[in-house]
């Protein structure tokens, strides 16, 4: 995920325009990892890592995905 998203300038620009991205190390914060995995499971989704949770400013979850991939396009 780091290479696909955080190091890609175009994806980083989009993420910075649309979101406040917070990277949580699941080994350093197992409490947050457990909380976000529970949200994912409650949504009835397939959960894994890296896990991306989309939330409103009031911390209501509205979407989640395990892997955020850039879609290839042809010109």
């Amino acid at each position: 995920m780091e290479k696909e998203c955080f190091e890609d300038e175009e994806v980083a620009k989009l993420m910075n325009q649309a979101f406040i991205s917070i990277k949580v190390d699941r080994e350093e914060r197992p409490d947050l990892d457990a909380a976000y995995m529970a949200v994912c499971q409650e949504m009835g989704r397939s959960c894994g890592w890296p896990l991306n949770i989309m939330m409103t400013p009031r911390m209501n979850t509205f979407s989640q995905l395990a892997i955020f991939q850039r879609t290839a396009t042809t010109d």
Side-chain angles (χ1 to χ4, degrees):
M1 166 108 179
E2 229 172 282
K3 190 171 204 159
E4 293 85 358
C5 293
F6 299 120
E7 293 180 6
D8 184 305
E9 288 185 28
E10 191 174 335
V11 173
K13 182 179 177 182
L14 173 64
M15 290 176 70
N16 287 332
Q17 288 175 343
F19 304 102
I20 297 172
S21 300
I22 301 169
K23 184 177 176 184
V24 177
D25 186 325
R26 63 186 284 251
E27 293 177 3
E28 290 186 25
R29 292 299 307 266
D31 56 326
L32 292 178
D33 178 58
Y36 294 139
M37 284 301 275
V39 167
C40 178
Q41 292 167 348
E42 287 175 15
M43 294 178 80
R45 306 288 180 97
S46 176
C47 303
W49 296 274
L51 176 61
N52 298 279
I53 301 285
M54 282 43 154
M55 304 170 93
T56 68
R58 294 192 174 174
M59 298 181 64
N60 296 314
T61 304
F62 66 88
S63 184
Q64 72 78 27
L65 64 144
I67 297 177
F68 179 77
Q69 293 182 336
R70 182 177 180 179
T71 304
T73 59
T74 57
D75 293 310

